[in-house]
Amino acid sequence: MKSGKPAKAVGAAKSGKPGKPESHLAMVRRARRINRELAEIYPYAHPELDFRNPFELLVATVLSAQTTDLRVNQTTPALFAAYPTPEDMAAAVPEELEELIRPTGFFRAKAKSLMGLSASIRDNFGGEVPGRLADLVTLPGVGRKTANVVLGNAFGVPGITVDTHFGRLVRRWKWTEQEDPEKVEAEVAAIFPKSEWTMLSHRVVFHGRRICHARRPACGACPIAPLCPSYGEGETDPEKARKLLKYEMGGQPGQRLSPPPDYPGRPAPAPGAG
């Protein structure tokens, strides 16, 4: 893992000296350098939902709305034991499905989506999760974000996943000023080669969850601080900033109960553990 050396006095924008606006070309070069730096910091970046096949990833991603990946990962083992296939989930008793997914919140709406998408997979796609964006977004409860997660991580089809972390960071880094997720996706996609889209998404989300938090970014412990035009929005004192680091960066468990073999942190606790 790259240790990172946060700068003590970073960014012309914070120095009080007026400077020329950054050109589009300079922004693209800076963005690509940030991506290269993040690749060194998080060489193990991965989806933080536990899954074994495209259907499990699709279901887990739908469940992840308005909750943590950890909560989803603690919920899905029992869910997939009860309903391992789209055919099984489509035929579920709604109240029983709702009870299994209750910990993830909004369980009635999510159960309706899960049963609907399962029925559609069964009836329209031969029981197999489709591997095309145009098909995935026809499934109930599945938008572009969810579709790109499934395509990139279950089918190897490059895609940019614009969740709240991704949108927040790319705006902080001045890659875009857009708020609409589809416009964010389009503008960021234009900066990077298609082959980078999926891993870029993981790296940015990892950084947002571990260091560049929404309310108190750990600026003083950030390895890419010299490249960040928003440096100083968070805690700049290195010691105080280090205390804000989360997951493996802060010596804590990650969100997956079954992380990849190269993950440097500890697995998350199972329900009821510790």
Side-chain angles (χ1 to χ4, degrees), residues 131-133 144 147-161 185 189 192-202:
R132 296 195 318 137
L133 179 66
R144 286 185 68 91
N148 278 329
V149 169
V150 174
L151 289 173
N153 298 289
F155 292 101
V157 177
I160 290 176
T161 303
E185 180 186 339
F192 297 94
K194 193 172 183 178
S195 60
E196 286 290 306
W197 290 354
T198 298
M199 287 308 301
L200 170 72
S201 300
H202 291 322

Side-chain angles (χ1 to χ4, degrees), residues 44 46 256 258-265:
Y44 49 85
H46 60 274
R256 293 189 69 163
S258 302
D262 62 346
Y263 178 66

Side-chain angles (χ1 to χ4, degrees), residues 46-50 60-61 63-76 104 145 163 165 205-206 209-210 247 254-257 268:
H46 60 274
E48 294 190 88
L49 292 167
D50 287 327
T61 306
L63 290 177
S64 70
Q66 304 299 314
T67 192
T68 63
D69 286 357
L70 172 58
R71 181 70 68 185
V72 174
N73 292 336
Q74 292 174 329
T75 301
T76 50
T104 69
K145 184 189 84 168
D163 68 357
H165 300 286
V205 171
F206 256 58
R209 287 176 169 168
R210 286 150 177 77
Y247 303 115
Q255 297 197 80
R256 293 189 69 163
L257 276 67

Side-chain angles (χ1 to χ4, degrees), residues 230-254:
S230 298
Y231 174 83
E233 286 187 9
E235 179 58 65
T236 57
D237 178 84
E239 288 301 319
K240 292 179 180 179
R242 272 194 285 273
K243 294 178 181 178
L244 300 175
L245 300 179
K246 294 183 179 179
Y247 303 115
E248 78 282 355
M249 302 297 280
Q252 301 152 352

